[in-house]
Amino acid sequence: MPDRGGGPSGPRIRVGRPSRRIRTLLMTLGVLAVLAMLFVMFAGFWTDWLWYRSVHYSSVFTTTLWTKIGLFFAFGVVMAVAVGVNVWLAHRLRPPLSAMSMEQQSLDRYRMGVAPFKKWALIAIAAVVGLIAGASASGEWQTWLQWVNGVPFGKKDPQFGMDVAFYAFDLPWYRFLLSFGFAAAVLSLVAAALTHYLYGGLRLTSPGSRATAAATGHLSVLLGIFVSLKAIAYWLDRYGLAVKSSGLKSADNWTGLRYVDANAYLPAKTILFFIAAICAVLFFATLWRRTWQLPVIGFGLMVLSAILIGGLYPAIVQKFQVQPNEQAKEAPYIKQNIKATRDAYDIQGSEVTPYKGNDKPTGKDDSQRLRDDADATASMRLLDPNVVSPAFQQQQQVKGYYQFPSTLDVDRYKDQDGAEQDTVIGLRELNIAGIPERNWINDHFKYTHGHGVVAAKGTETGEGGGPKYTESGLPAKGQLSAKPYEQRVYYGEKTTQYSIVGGPQQELDYSHDGTEKSYSYRGNSGVSLANPINRAAYAVAFGEPQILYSGAIGDHSRILYNRTPKERVESVAPWLTIDGDAYPAVIDGRIKWIVDAYTTSNGYPYASRTTLGDTTADSLTDGQRAVVAQQNQVNYIRNSVKATVDAYDGSVKLYQWDEKDPVLKTWMKAFPGTVEKKSAISPSLKEHLRYPQDLFKVQRQLLTTYHVTDPNTFYTGSERWQIPSDPTTKSGNAVPPYYLSMKMPDQKGRAFSLTTTFTPNKRENLGAFMAVDADATSGDYGRIRLLKLPSETPVPGPQLVQSKFNSDPVIANELNVLKKFGDSEIEYGNLLTVPLDGGLLYVEPVYLRGANTNYPLLKKVLVSYGDSKPVLEDSLKDALDVVFGKKAASTGTEHPPGGEKGKQPPSDQTVQQALSDAEKAYEEGEKALGQRDLAGYDEAKKKLKAALDRAAKAAQKAGKPGS
């Protein structure tokens, strides 16, 4: 053959085909690579299926999976067919001859290049758009299930008379269909236009007609479909006004129609619907007229109408009709918003009661009555679960590979006398970072679980100011273990790693006398690893090859994962929003995690929206306690499900709590058999159910504005409240709500409650006190009570009370003395507020953490009532006695009006003897201070004060100046 390279001829190097062995090897490697990729994809699917089957919620997996697959294929095929058919049709309608022009000559090269691959190009384009559309549609599986299974709310919106279910379940699905239709129309239009251009149906620079008749008809139909969809969008926008968010002077997240919406936007949307429908007909008519003149005129009219009718006219109405008399114009719509918002957040039954808040004792009898009522009104929880976790950690950790959560929980248990008491409780969970020697076997086979419950009385402290434990030790012993329970904790808030149990490798455990022993898991939890396919799948899913071949795994080995209570509940019920604080309880011989779960919606008409993450944040929330799905915007919420997770076997139970909630009923139709009836809740479990914190925080945020039911007052914002910042921290974040057994003014006895305070907007005095009955066994469970304080006689709020405590010279001096013990630090506990006989009682525990002490000890209690002088005493009893005048203050504070005087010294007590005793007590105090003996110092201080009092009184009696 002639040389086509243009260079000198020479010897040629022939590159032959690879040998058969190399080709076989390359083909084998290619096949293995494909199989490996497929197995990686299979491993994720297979392990998910195995996990759902292990927790007996396989129906959730299959329902979700088939719904996603169905939507993927249905919408993927529709999109692929729509785009593919229009590309094929544009090709079929191409002109037989292309125009002789530079434009067409340039396109000839592309046409020739595409010609051999037309079929495959068409298939590829259709497949790509189909895959993208299908993937997008599969993400709407919840919207589809709610539309298919929607249950009526039984309530109608005031504007259109549609059931709330239309906005919550139907409208979101219709909007998705509409957006999918727009996407299909636009993609089809673009693909058809490009095809027509490539094959000469459209010409941009060629002389003569710019489009063939066939191209004109084809594209006009697609444009007609697009404009038809726009007409439907205008019609749906009418209903969308009922769930549209907008700003109002007194409500930032206002939702629903306002005057301008009902009187300008609503008629504008209706008019635009008809204009768009006429415009669509004009585009369809191009099939016969073969001219763009009328459709272009119609489209221009629609655009102009959208600007004038849909934009300019409402602005004129707002400017010249609403703004001059906005309060009167908006009043009917504000009323509808108030009613809908209170219904949607279940605060419609909240009761606002006037409360004086500034009563004070007027005499000895009045002081004695108040002192007695203080004990009967509330069970003051001095042990702050947000402060004492380090004490639990230091005293009850026992081993470095155990830990407690940073914030403990508050529950109720019966004491030995059968009386209910507030209890601070925490589980001794596994701390993998504390394992003495870290390796794969220790991390996942030997150290597999925590052990035991630690509980302490909430209203008392032990010797030295530490917790007074009712259940402690390893294994735990005490009141709770009087009836033996399974103490091993395989599932907990801190247990995030996987463990492999039940196989040849034994686990570390403890016998009843606290000695170490070996143990093998006997529960049915987890997934069996006896099957080599399962082992291979988990080796791939967890990126741990040793799972495949390790000899520590046998026929009875099971792998435990997804071990936190919140992620287990969220996995088996992905349609629920999970509360940020799961808490443990000992129930019928088992440790159960109790998880509150919510059904939510963003489509309740007229109800204002809130963002869960913002609303539920306070000074205690962190990554561990944050509400799941915290960025969700909602305008409807119900604590419709109470869930439990067994700490030993991980079994999950979902119980229907709100039997009227239509959102829960909808999901129960979609996932039959997953949620048990409320009647299935055992009495022993019900005793430990409580009102959830996150729901309470959402409701209190809404009640800062929506405690007002009068539209005019609502509009002015004069009665708006705010949530005060936590006075015990410097974070500036909201004060957390507190669980407390207390009695509201209209209650006959104490009830386990969740409480909080409000301050007037941009002021620090107290605006209101809020409490909800948190005891699930109570007939008043969920009843919200609000005590509204008078604005004309300001009552100090939490910040002012804290300032009052800190600025008192006697208290400040006493706390400074405490700090001198080895550079100790003062930590304030929860500032509890309790309504008491027309006034407000504030109680705050004071903890001392020494430089050489890793945990705080309760040393003092601050108490204030009304305008009386705040007191700092060693115990709550002493502080209440002093503040109500029953005894003298040990720190030198004065008696409040009407209080009793201290006991008179003996008549034969001389000044010299009293001063001698004082000098001796002072020396004892200095000695104790030098030895950092806090208890000895306290005792010496009391002796010094008593001696000085005796000296002063003896000197006065003798007519001499005391010193």
Side-chain angles (χ1 to χ4, degrees):
M1 295 179 65
D3 182 10
R4 295 178 182 275
S9 62
R12 297 177 179 274
I13 300 176
R14 299 178 61 89
V15 180
R17 297 178 62 192
S19 66
R20 178 177 295 180
R21 179 180 298 178
I22 295 177
R23 292 200 307 271
T24 303
L25 178 60
L26 292 175
M27 186 177 297
T28 302
L29 291 176
V31 171
L32 289 176
V34 172
L35 290 176
M37 293 175 60
L38 291 175
F39 188 78
V40 169
M41 297 172 61
F42 166 78
F45 164 81
W46 185 242
T47 52
D48 284 347
W49 160 250
L50 292 174
W51 186 86
Y52 275 97
R53 190 175 65 175
S54 73
V55 293
H56 308 294
Y57 281 88
S58 55
S59 63
V60 174
F61 179 82
T62 54
T63 299
T64 303
L65 177 64
W66 287 116
T67 302
K68 289 181 178 180
I69 290 174
L71 292 172
F72 177 85
F73 279 103
F75 286 90
V77 168
V78 169
M79 181 65 79
V81 168
V83 175
V85 165
N86 279 285
V87 172
W88 172 82
L89 185 59
H91 179 263
R92 285 292 303 271
L93 297 175
R94 68 190 185 280
L97 297 174
S98 59
M100 296 303 295
S101 65
M102 293 299 295
E103 179 186 24
Q104 293 304 312
Q105 290 177 18
S106 299
L107 290 174
D108 279 341
R109 292 195 296 270
Y110 294 102
R111 286 194 285 264
M112 293 174 64
V114 171
F117 312 104
K118 286 190 293 188
K119 180 191 295 186
W120 294 110
L122 176 60
I123 293 173
I125 292 172
V128 168
V129 297
L131 288 173
I132 295 173
S136 175
S138 66
E140 298 292 330
W141 65 273
Q142 292 194 11
T143 308
W144 161 262
L145 288 177
Q146 285 186 307
W147 180 65
V148 171
N149 300 284
V151 173
F153 277 65
K155 297 179 180 179
K156 296 183 178 181
D157 81 281
Q159 182 67 43
F160 302 102
M162 304 290 289
D163 190 274
V164 173
F166 170 79
Y167 300 94
F169 306 139
D170 299 344
L171 192 57
W173 179 249
Y174 296 153
R175 282 177 164 169
F176 165 72
L177 291 178
L178 189 62
S179 64
F180 179 83
F182 275 123
V186 170
L187 289 174
S188 297
L189 182 62
V190 171
L194 289 174
T195 305
H196 280 297
Y197 177 69
L198 181 62
Y199 287 97
L202 288 178
R203 309 179 187 103
L204 299 181
T205 61
S206 300
S209 176
R210 299 299 184 191
T212 63
T216 300
H218 184 196
L219 297 179
S220 64
V221 169
L222 292 175
L223 286 170
I225 293 173
F226 178 87
V227 176
S228 298
L229 292 172
K230 186 60 180 175
I232 297 173
Y234 281 131
W235 188 259
L236 289 181
D237 285 347
R238 298 168 67 255
Y239 300 105
L241 294 172
V243 290
K244 183 195 72 170
S245 290
S246 60
L248 188 69
K249 178 181 178 181
S250 53
D252 296 333
N253 295 315
W254 170 279
T255 301
L257 281 83
R258 296 168 57 185
Y259 180 89
V260 69
D261 297 313
N263 294 278
Y265 281 110
L266 184 57
K269 297 292 183 183
T270 306
I271 294 170
L272 289 172
F273 162 75
F274 288 109
I275 293 174
I278 294 170
C279 186
V281 171
L282 293 177
F283 274 107
F284 291 134
T286 307
L287 279 172
W288 295 275
R289 292 180 54 85
R290 305 293 185 179
T291 175
W292 293 93
Q293 184 177 6
L294 286 178
V296 169
I297 293 174
F299 188 79
L301 177 62
M302 185 179 73
V303 172
L304 183 62
S305 300
I307 295 172
L308 297 178
I309 302 175
L312 184 59
Y313 174 64
I316 293 173
V317 171
Q318 178 69 24
K319 178 69 176 178
F320 296 102
Q321 292 190 32
V322 178
Q323 288 186 4
N325 192 18
E326 188 175 41
Q327 182 171 336
K329 295 289 186 182
E330 301 289 10
Y333 304 98
I334 293 175
K335 185 176 182 180
Q336 293 167 358
N337 174 268
I338 292 173
K339 182 181 184 304
T341 303
R342 288 172 65 90
D343 286 343
Y345 291 95
D346 202 21
I347 56 177
Q348 72 278 10
S350 57
E351 306 165 9
V352 180
T353 304
Y355 188 74
K356 293 181 180 179
N358 53 5
D359 277 10
K360 52 187 176 181
T362 56
K364 178 179 177 181
D365 293 339
D366 196 23
S367 296
Q368 182 61 48
R369 175 183 58 80
L370 284 170
R371 177 63 187 88
D372 295 339
D373 287 350
D375 288 334
T377 297
S379 176
M380 297 296 183
R381 181 172 44 73
L382 299 178
L383 203 65
D384 187 348
N386 313 309
V387 174
V388 300
S389 178
F392 275 51
Q393 186 78 7
Q394 184 73 13
Q395 297 177 341
Q396 294 298 320
Q397 180 188 21
V398 183
K399 302 291 184 179
Y401 43 81
Y402 292 131
Q403 64 180 326
F404 291 91
S406 58
T407 299
L408 303 173
D409 291 291
V410 178
D411 202 351
R412 298 138 294 152
Y413 288 90
K414 293 181 180 178
D415 59 19
Q416 296 175 345
D417 299 327
E420 194 173 83
Q421 64 182 14
D422 292 355
T423 302
V424 176
I425 186 172
L427 297 191
R428 187 185 289 109
E429 294 190 46
L430 182 66
N431 175 22
I432 195 171
I435 295 176
E437 185 176 348
R438 297 292 302 278
N439 55 58
W440 189 63
I441 293 295
N442 281 347
D443 286 0
H444 300 288
F445 290 81
K446 185 176 181 180
Y447 296 90
T448 59
H449 59 278
H451 206 291
V453 171
V454 176
K457 290 185 177 181
T459 55
E460 301 179 35
T461 57
E463 186 175 353
K468 188 171 184 179
Y469 297 105
T470 58
E471 184 83 1
S472 60
L474 179 66
K477 296 180 178 64
Q479 292 181 9
L480 301 181
S481 54
K483 294 181 180 179
Y485 62 93
E486 176 55 69
Q487 296 196 16
R488 298 174 184 89
V489 181
Y490 282 87
Y491 295 87
E493 288 183 303
K494 297 289 186 179
T495 312
T496 55
Q497 76 283 358
Y498 72 87
S499 292
I500 299 176
V501 298
Q505 177 65 49
Q506 295 289 292
E507 307 164 47
L508 177 68
D509 199 62
Y510 292 90
S511 59
H512 66 279
D513 60 357
T515 58
E516 291 186 8
K517 69 172 185 176
S518 296
Y519 178 77
S520 185
Y521 184 67
R522 301 185 182 93
N524 294 323
S525 182
V527 178
S528 173
L529 294 178
N531 188 325
I533 295 178
N534 291 358
R535 293 176 66 170
Y538 280 103
V540 171
F542 290 169
E544 184 49 71
Q546 294 186 77
I547 295 177
L548 184 59
Y549 55 79
S550 174
I553 300 175
D555 292 340
H556 300 289
S557 295
R558 308 179 73 84
I559 185 168
L560 314 180
Y561 62 105
N562 286 356
R563 298 170 71 180
T564 67
K566 286 191 284 188
E567 69 181 334
R568 290 181 80 79
V569 174
E570 187 182 27
S571 295
V572 302
W575 33 272
L576 291 173
T577 299
I578 311 303
D579 189 90
D581 185 28
Y583 60 98
V586 178
I587 302 167
D588 298 330
R590 311 285 287 194
I591 301 174
K592 301 278 190 181
W593 287 99
I594 300 175
V595 183
D596 286 288
Y598 309 108
T599 49
T600 61
S601 175
N602 193 30
Y604 199 101
Y606 278 96
S608 291
R609 292 183 170 88
T610 188
T611 303
L612 292 180
D614 297 338
T615 309
T616 58
D618 59 33
S619 63
L620 300 179
T621 51
D622 52 29
Q624 182 67 29
R625 297 195 59 176
V627 62
V628 176
Q630 58 180 321
Q631 296 307 314
N632 283 10
Q633 267 212 332
V634 304
N635 66 352
Y636 173 90
I637 187 169
R638 289 292 186 275
N639 176 213
S640 53
V641 171
K642 300 284 188 180
T644 63
V645 176
D646 192 289
Y648 181 74
D649 63 23
S651 57
V652 182
K653 296 287 185 182
L654 306 176
Y655 299 99
Q656 181 184 16
W657 184 247
D658 189 334
E659 296 177 299
K660 297 180 180 179
D661 178 28
V663 179
L664 177 60
K665 291 179 180 178
T666 296
W667 288 119
M668 289 176 70
K669 282 180 63 180
F671 296 96
T674 57
V675 181
E676 299 185 34
K677 295 292 186 181
K678 186 176 184 178
S679 57
I681 299 177
S682 66
S684 55
L685 170 59
K686 196 171 185 179
E687 289 178 357
H688 293 279
L689 299 182
R690 67 188 191 188
Y691 202 82
Q693 293 186 63
D694 284 336
L695 175 61
F696 183 79
K697 286 188 279 189
V698 170
Q699 291 174 324
R700 76 171 177 176
Q701 180 63 51
L702 269 295
L703 282 169
T704 59
T705 303
Y706 286 92
H707 67 279
V708 173
T709 57
D710 176 65
N712 294 320
T713 306
F714 184 96
Y715 177 83
T716 62
S718 59
E719 293 293 330
R720 194 169 186 175
W721 300 333
Q722 65 183 12
I723 299 167
S725 57
D726 190 346
T728 65
T729 69
K730 297 180 180 180
S731 65
N733 294 325
V735 63
Y738 297 123
Y739 287 105
L740 184 68
S741 291
M742 58 162 291
K743 179 176 68 173
M744 289 290 276
D746 65 330
Q747 291 179 298
K748 295 181 179 179
R750 291 189 302 205
F752 187 65
S753 305
L754 190 54
T755 67
T756 192
T757 54
F758 297 100
T759 57
N761 195 27
K762 299 180 181 180
R763 296 171 63 191
E764 296 296 340
N765 55 291
L766 197 65
F769 177 84
M770 174 182 174
V772 63
D773 195 321
D775 184 357
T777 63
S778 169
D780 282 342
Y781 173 83
R783 182 178 176 183
I784 298 174
R785 295 176 171 89
L786 288 164
L787 300 180
K788 184 177 181 299
L789 282 297
S791 56
E792 62 275 6
T793 53
V795 177
Q799 287 286 357
L800 293 179
V801 170
Q802 188 68 51
S803 298
K804 185 179 177 181
F805 287 151
N806 296 340
S807 61
D808 185 276
V810 176
I811 293 176
N813 182 65
E814 185 73 12
L815 294 180
N816 285 331
V817 172
L818 289 176
K819 292 179 183 179
K820 291 180 181 179
F821 281 92
D823 295 327
S824 301
E825 294 181 3
I826 295 294
E827 292 186 31
Y828 293 105
N830 36 221
L831 178 58
L832 302 177
T833 308
V834 176
L836 175 65
D837 292 355
L840 288 164
L841 178 66
Y842 287 94
V843 175
E844 183 176 68
V846 179
Y847 294 84
L848 185 69
R849 186 197 293 262
N852 297 322
T853 306
N854 292 327
Y855 59 92
L857 297 172
L858 179 66
K859 289 302 179 182
K860 298 289 180 179
V861 179
L862 286 162
V863 173
S864 173
Y865 181 79
D867 296 329
S868 63
K869 188 176 182 66
V871 300
L872 176 73
E873 294 294 329
D874 296 335
S875 68
L876 176 63
K877 178 181 181 301
D878 290 343
L880 291 174
D881 285 344
V882 172
V883 84
F884 292 119
K886 192 174 181 180
K887 63 178 289 187
S890 63
T891 56
T893 52
E894 299 175 358
H895 296 295
E900 295 182 20
K901 295 181 180 181
K903 294 183 179 179
Q904 296 292 331
S907 58
D908 61 345
Q909 177 68 59
T910 64
V911 176
Q912 291 77 10
Q913 181 62 48
L915 292 176
S916 176
D917 291 343
E919 184 177 1
K920 183 178 179 181
Y922 177 80
E923 292 174 354
E924 291 177 355
E926 288 296 305
K927 183 179 179 181
L929 188 61
Q931 297 174 349
R932 298 181 180 177
D933 179 7
L934 193 59
Y937 173 77
D938 286 343
E939 184 64 28
K941 182 191 63 176
K942 292 178 181 178
K943 291 180 181 179
L944 175 63
K945 175 64 171 60
L948 292 175
D949 284 347
R950 292 199 308 271
K953 291 176 181 178
Q956 184 179 13
K957 184 177 181 180
K960 299 177 181 180
S963 61

